[in-house]
Amino acid sequence: RLGLVESGGGSVLAGGSLRLSCTTSGESGYTIDMLDMAWFRQAPGKELEGVATIGHDLHTSVADVVKGRFTISQDSAKDEMYLQMNDLKPEDTATYYCAATRGKVRGDSGLRNRYLYPDWGQGTQVVVSS
């Protein structure tokens, strides 16, 4: 297991920003830049949805619903992957999960298929109030 750990969630007012971080425990020997990774979210009473993906080749994809507001990136020196969320809206309220695979995820297929990612973090909650 990769031991993914998310951080950075919290409560903000609409229009605010948050940056989520994800890192590995290091026990597996894998670092962030060796993995294809993604952020998913699940709002209360709704299904899990893909938010953004980043490959080990740094190719990124972002779901249309957050495009222009959310950015996915990674810092290999810090061994961290990020989701920068700007102009947050109440409908962004959800638990956000970091996910990863040692394999290769083509294009934006990861946004539509959670099963491409076998390793998941415990989630971090984001609450956006109006």
Side-chain angles (χ1 to χ4, degrees):
R1 292 183 61 86
L2 296 172
L4 300 176
V5 179
E6 304 98 336
S7 61
S11 297
V12 295
L13 295 175
S17 298
L18 284 173
R19 188 178 76 163
L20 306 183
S21 299
C22 176
T23 189
T24 69
S25 66
E27 296 176 353
S28 68
Y30 280 83
T31 54
I32 293 293
D33 56 1
M34 299 168 70
L35 305 168
D36 280 14
M37 304 189 71
W39 287 99
F40 287 78
R41 69 183 183 184
Q42 188 165 27
K46 295 188 177 181
E47 293 187 353
L48 192 72
E49 67 172 343
V51 177
T53 69
I54 184 166
H56 65 279
D57 58 0
L58 301 183
H59 177 268
T60 63
S61 62
V62 180
D64 289 343
V65 68
V66 300
K67 194 164 290 183
R69 300 188 297 121
F70 290 13
T71 303
I72 188 169
S73 63
Q74 70 177 48
D75 185 333
S76 58
K78 295 183 178 180
D79 196 32
E80 292 184 341
M81 191 264 287
Y82 307 108
L83 185 67
Q84 178 66 44
M85 306 185 294
N86 298 328
D87 190 22
L88 283 160
K89 303 177 180 181
E91 51 264 42
D92 295 318
T93 294
T95 299
Y96 285 72
Y97 298 91
C98 171
T101 177
R102 297 167 177 82
K104 172 65 179 175
V105 177
R106 295 190 176 278
D108 64 354
S109 60
L111 291 176
R112 299 181 297 277
N113 189 352
R114 61 184 291 187
Y115 298 106
L116 293 175
Y117 301 96
D119 287 275
W120 291 73
Q122 294 299 307
T124 184
Q125 190 168 19
V126 172
V127 177
V128 185
S129 50
S130 57

